[in-house]
Amino acid sequence: MWIANIGDICFLEYPLCFFMDMAYDMDKWGAQAVNQTDEWSRSWVNHQFGSGFSQEDCRLIDRILHQYTQINHNHKPEVMNVDVYHPVHFGETQALLETTKQIMADARKLLGRCPPELTDAFWELVYYPACASANHCQMWLYAGLDRFYASQGRMEANQYAHAVRCCIGQDRMLTEQYHTLDGGRFSGMALSEHVGFVRWCEDGNLYPPFIAVEGANKPRLLVADARSDAFTIGTRWSGDTIELKYGLNQNVNQVEVDLACGSRVAVSYLVETDCPWLSLSRSHGCVKKKDVLTITIHRERMEPGVHQGTVTVKTVYNACRILVWAEKRESWDYPVGTFVEANHILCMEAAHFAAKGHVKNAGYQILSPYGRTGSAIKAFPVMTDFTAWPEKPWAEYRFAAQQEGAYTLELYVAPSNTATMEHQMNIGIQMNGGEMEVHNLVGPDFASLKLDCKEWDTAVRDNIRIRSVTVSCRKGLNQLRLYAMSPMAVMERLVLHPADEPLPQSYLGPPESWQVK
């Protein structure tokens, strides 16, 4: 028996169809047919719109469906708030804004090419849910940027306050248009509140607040790290230096600095460097809101080792120094595929293991597309409990740590409920061939059938469960093995950092670390 509590059917036809098709033919679309969701989605789009759109446009529709459902998956839209995504850390807000803008641009382009006989269907099945979801996400991201930049006194905060207002207006306009569709066929279906829930229902929901900034009376230039909350206005009282260490990561060849106006009048500036392995995207300017300075790292001009270069930003009133760190390695003593720690961060997608072991036709398989970042691993057969097996399926990861000692290992796990009422979702962790340690991926108070269980509630909102454990690493190469034990454990990614070096606040976590090629 398959039961779905889906609320209003409108806007949810796409996932509901998948649910029903899986119920009808579990062998074709279910757990034994790994990674068939892309095929199903393409066939659904062709069935709905293949008669009026080209195959290229059908592929674009499929991409839009995937993108907006990914956004809604990563955090439940109705409980989205200004504190979810960090405005600058790891660039997660900027990347998400670019995705939402692309969704809306592609949807408008397709609407302009839609045959008249399919317009209502396209609006109801694709255009409205995609654009409304993207716009809703933008609204909260703009609110976060507004608050963040206002706290620094940056004039660009005002443009984001205006953007929040525009998104609220766009949300209401889309709803009104939806209600007139097909002669009012769906009138009233979008009347439910869907912004800023503070309870399980719409009672007391809140739109995002926005802040206006009144700039300083004298010219003021803020020089800020575009990926952190570090900034300076270049005075001897408040400090005149910021450090950018992103170049210690071999993935990073460019860093960005915000040159932001903090005053009612525009500010002129000069930018210069005498560092031979750095180049600058601009040498001067006059900023009213924000200019972005891109600093490019040319490792081919560097000698091997760790280096520091200096960039200076000058105004008539002050000067700021930007210290850029970068490392060049000509060779690595680690095997190909080893992840390398940089800036006290190691991040590995679970699907990017170095090796895996099967036992009696049981073992880890990659799920894709899946989860927040596109993939995960799961032990098959799916309902097998490997706890009592003397040999267990495993996946191994290799990484290079910068120091010896205690590291915090954060396991990003799909928010599955436990398979039994004992509420055990165990996994085995082994470091460098030592003893396997058993860890429960749910907390001691987890209970899947208790509506007041905070851990269950948080996992539903965030569509992730993050379990932190402490492991001991040696300096240099390490091997970490995950052993399958309880069913239902789906691993999405692994993040490590020294126990005394907490990660910068973020929602999605850091990008994947560089691997030895």
Side-chain angles (χ1 to χ4, degrees):
M1 182 181 292
W2 288 61
I3 302 173
N5 177 4
I6 202 167
D8 293 334
I9 291 176
C10 280
F11 324 131
L12 295 171
E13 294 89 345
Y14 174 61
L16 178 60
C17 284
F18 178 67
F19 180 88
M20 298 305 293
D21 283 352
M22 188 161 57
Y24 183 78
D25 194 342
M26 188 66 176
D27 291 335
K28 185 176 182 180
W29 304 116
Q32 303 308 315
V34 181
N35 302 330
Q36 294 299 302
T37 50
D38 276 346
E39 180 185 335
W40 178 89
S41 184
R42 287 191 294 267
S43 66
W44 187 86
V45 170
N46 284 324
H47 180 73
Q48 307 297 334
F49 302 109
S51 63
F53 284 95
S54 67
Q55 283 301 299
E56 181 180 355
D57 282 347
C58 284
R59 285 191 291 271
L60 185 55
I61 293 171
D62 185 48
R63 189 176 77 183
I64 290 172
L65 292 170
H66 176 81
Q67 288 176 321
Y68 94 79
T69 52
Q70 177 79 58
I71 291 171
N72 291 347
H73 162 276
N74 284 356
H75 193 82
K76 290 287 188 291
E78 65 271 21
V79 290
M80 178 74 165
N81 62 72
V82 73
D83 293 314
V84 174
Y85 293 96
H86 194 277
V88 294
H89 287 168
F90 304 124
E92 61 182 14
T93 284
Q94 189 58 43
L96 191 48
L97 278 173
E98 291 172 3
T99 299
T100 57
K101 291 174 182 177
Q102 189 64 55
I103 289 171
M104 298 175 80
D106 288 342
R108 293 186 184 113
K109 181 167 60 177
L110 288 166
L111 184 63
R113 296 203 287 258
C114 184
E117 67 273 14
L118 288 177
T119 299
D120 289 344
F122 181 78
W123 235 93
E124 207 274 331
L125 296 176
V126 179
Y127 186 84
Y128 178 81
C131 289
S133 297
N135 177 74
H136 171 272
C137 183
Q138 282 184 7
M139 175 180 62
W140 286 107
L141 296 177
Y142 287 145
L145 289 169
D146 172 38
R147 186 177 70 174
F148 181 77
Y149 290 144
S151 71
Q152 298 180 349
R154 290 160 65 160
M155 297 304 293
E156 65 178 311
N158 294 337
Q159 77 183 55
Y160 290 116
H162 176 71
V164 174
R165 285 183 177 271
C166 291
C167 287
I168 293 172
Q170 177 75 1
D171 180 82
R172 290 169 176 160
M173 183 183 71
L174 284 167
T175 300
E176 290 170 3
Q177 289 178 297
Y178 184 82
H179 287 159
T180 63
L181 196 66
D182 194 18
R185 177 180 181 183
F186 303 110
S187 180
M189 289 302 292
L191 285 178
S192 295
E193 299 284 2
H194 48 269
V195 175
F197 277 39
V198 294
R199 298 178 177 84
W200 69 268
C201 59
E202 66 181 33
D203 289 358
N205 75 297
L206 299 169
Y207 280 90
F210 35 88
I211 305 170
V213 172
E214 189 67 29
N217 296 314
K218 298 177 182 178
R220 177 180 294 171
L221 181 71
L222 294 92
V223 178
D225 178 359
R227 291 293 181 264
S228 83
D229 52 8
F231 75 98
T232 177
I233 56 175
T235 69
R236 60 194 178 104
W237 299 282
S238 61
D240 63 355
T241 303
I242 60 172
E243 288 192 76
L244 307 179
K245 295 186 176 182
Y246 306 110
L248 298 176
N249 189 326
Q250 301 297 307
N251 276 339
V252 176
N253 296 312
Q254 289 186 332
V255 294
E256 291 185 345
V257 175
D258 291 343
L259 306 177
C261 180
S263 53
R264 298 167 60 191
V265 295
V267 187
S268 297
Y269 60 85
L270 297 173
V271 187
E272 57 188 26
T273 183
D274 59 2
C275 180
W277 47 270
L278 293 178
S279 63
L280 309 174
S281 63
R282 58 178 72 235
S283 61
H284 64 279
C286 184
V287 60
K288 294 181 178 179
K289 292 182 181 177
K290 180 177 74 176
D291 289 345
V292 176
L293 169 66
T294 301
I295 304 173
T296 301
I297 300 167
H298 300 274
R299 286 187 172 83
E300 71 277 6
R301 304 177 190 171
M302 296 169 58
E303 295 295 324
V306 176
H307 301 271
Q308 181 195 92
T310 302
V311 176
T312 304
V313 182
K314 298 180 179 179
T315 73
V316 174
Y317 304 93
N318 52 30
C320 304
R321 292 191 309 150
I322 305 166
L323 305 182
V324 181
W325 292 81
E327 181 181 20
K328 178 180 179 178
R329 290 264 193 125
E330 291 187 338
S331 63
W332 296 85
D333 297 328
Y334 309 126
V336 171
T338 301
F339 291 92
V340 179
E341 178 184 351
N343 294 324
H344 309 294
I345 298 173
L346 264 162
C347 179
M348 304 174 286
E349 297 298 334
H352 297 165
F353 45 77
K356 65 176 181 175
H358 283 236
V359 180
K360 299 178 181 178
N361 297 320
Y364 278 111
Q365 293 190 39
I366 294 174
L367 308 181
S368 179
Y370 192 93
R372 283 183 168 189
T373 49
S375 63
I377 61 171
K378 183 178 183 178
F380 285 75
V382 293
M383 289 306 295
T384 301
D385 191 322
F386 300 100
T387 302
W389 289 31
E391 299 290 332
K392 300 172 176 56
W394 52 268
E396 182 176 284
Y397 304 86
R398 297 171 191 154
F399 63 90
Q402 291 178 315
Q403 63 190 52
E404 180 181 358
Y407 274 67
T408 298
L409 169 62
E410 296 182 357
L411 302 168
Y412 286 56
V413 188
S416 313
N417 284 334
T418 55
T420 69
M421 294 305 294
E422 282 73 32
H423 298 307
Q424 295 290 312
M425 191 183 290
N426 292 331
I427 193 166
I429 298 176
Q430 181 190 58
M431 289 295 302
N432 298 317
E435 291 293 320
M436 184 190 77
E437 296 183 358
V438 178
H439 294 273
N440 191 359
L441 296 174
V442 300
D445 299 323
F446 178 81
S448 56
L449 296 183
K450 288 181 64 177
L451 295 180
D452 61 350
C453 174
K454 292 184 178 180
E455 182 179 344
W456 174 85
D457 183 78
T458 301
V460 170
R461 292 166 183 259
D462 298 347
N463 254 320
I464 201 74
R465 181 181 290 117
I466 301 177
R467 179 78 164 97
S468 295
V469 301
T470 300
V471 296
S472 180
C473 294
R474 58 195 181 198
K475 185 176 181 179
L477 184 64
N478 291 261
Q479 292 86 30
L480 186 158
R481 277 192 181 185
L482 298 180
Y483 286 92
M485 295 184 70
S486 303
M488 311 304 290
V490 182
M491 193 67 60
E492 296 190 18
R493 62 196 331 227
L494 300 84
V495 177
L496 287 133
H497 56 90
D500 58 352
E501 292 279 352
L503 290 175
Q505 178 192 350
S506 70
Y507 183 66
L508 297 177
E512 189 170 36
S513 298
W514 184 80
Q515 287 180 281
V516 177
K517 304 295 189 292

